[in-house]
């Protein structure tokens, strides 16, 4: 942790200090930032994820207004660092001894605002945050919000809806994953297909394979190839071949 009152400028400077131009070029290609690609226009300075996580750990006490400032940055690594810090802040506010529902609510509002204004706008940003902030918050609350996000025009809002259910799956509850999955069966965007198949696979691994098989019995023929491939990855080869043939 750095100082008593770290700022967004401090985080930005720490990332800039370890940035690598060659890595920036690689990351911009990897995260599809070219014209017409899903990450079009995103800016990378060239900091790998483990290093970003290490820097975020140093600034775990970053105030929420400074996290929000980083989330509005044009630089991808700065937004990722902000989300990792937000995860840490939310986890701390969720512990029994430090539980602070008001603080949790404030962080969820901040997160949703960033999602809706298009600042959580690549798959790694979604995957690093949805299950750690929105998912835990909704574990014991109504989940209508996820169905609203699943209907959004934004690819990233729809992915946030799906990835938030990872928290439910880890708690042994597959119901919302299945409900969202049924609503997104026809969504053929590759990053939604992958997210849906991934969450279905996790249901089979972490909750009950029989539940996954029941879903596949009803919907295998309607799933896209990518989602079906991910969902059936750990099934018996003959069963996997049968579902894929449908």
């Amino acid at each position: 942790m750095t100082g008593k009152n770290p700022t967004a400028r401090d985080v930005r400077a720490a990332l800039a200090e370890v940035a690598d131009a060659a890595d920036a070029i690689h990351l911009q290609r990897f995260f599809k930032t070219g014209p017409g690609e899903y990450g079009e226009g995103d800016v990378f300075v060239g900091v790998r994820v483990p290093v970003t996580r290490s820097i975020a750990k140093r600034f775990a006490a970053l105030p929420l207004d400074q996290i929000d400032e980083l989330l509005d940055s044009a630089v991808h690594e700065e937004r990722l660092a902000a989300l990792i810090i937000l995860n840490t802040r939310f986890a701390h506010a969720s512990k029994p001894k430090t539980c602070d529902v008001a603080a949790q609510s404030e962080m969820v509002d901040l997160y949703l605002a960033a999602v809706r204004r298009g600042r959580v706008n690549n798959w790694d940003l979604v995957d690093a945050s949805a299950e750690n902030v929105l998912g835990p918050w909704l574990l014991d609350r109504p989940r209508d919000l996820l169905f609203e996000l699943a209907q959004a025009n934004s690819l990233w809002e729809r992915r946030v809806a799906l990835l938030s259910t990872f928290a439910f799956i880890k708690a042994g509850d597959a119901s919302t994953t299945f409900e969202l999955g049924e609503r997104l069966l026809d969504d053929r965007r590759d990053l939604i297909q992958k997210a849906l198949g991934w969450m279905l696979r996790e249901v089979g691994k972490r909750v009950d394979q029989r539940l996954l098989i029941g879903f596949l019995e009803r919907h295998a023929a309607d799933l896209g190839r990518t989602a079906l491939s991910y969902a059936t990855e750990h099934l018996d080869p003959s069963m996997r071949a049968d579902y894929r043939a449908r």
Side-chain angles (χ1 to χ4, degrees), residues 146-164:
L146 298 186
F147 295 93
E148 294 174 18
L149 291 171
Q151 295 175 351
N153 290 329
S154 165
L155 160 68
W156 307 118
E157 290 182 43
R158 301 199 303 277
R159 189 170 172 108
V160 164
L162 280 170
L163 264 294
S164 293

Side-chain angles (χ1 to χ4, degrees), residues 31-32 46 58 95 102 108 181 185 190 201-202 207 213-214 242:
F31 286 102
K32 307 294 184 184
R58 288 164 47 196
K95 291 180 179 179
V108 168
L185 283 173
D190 186 59
R201 183 185 69 206
E202 293 301 320
V207 184
I213 290 171
D242 174 60

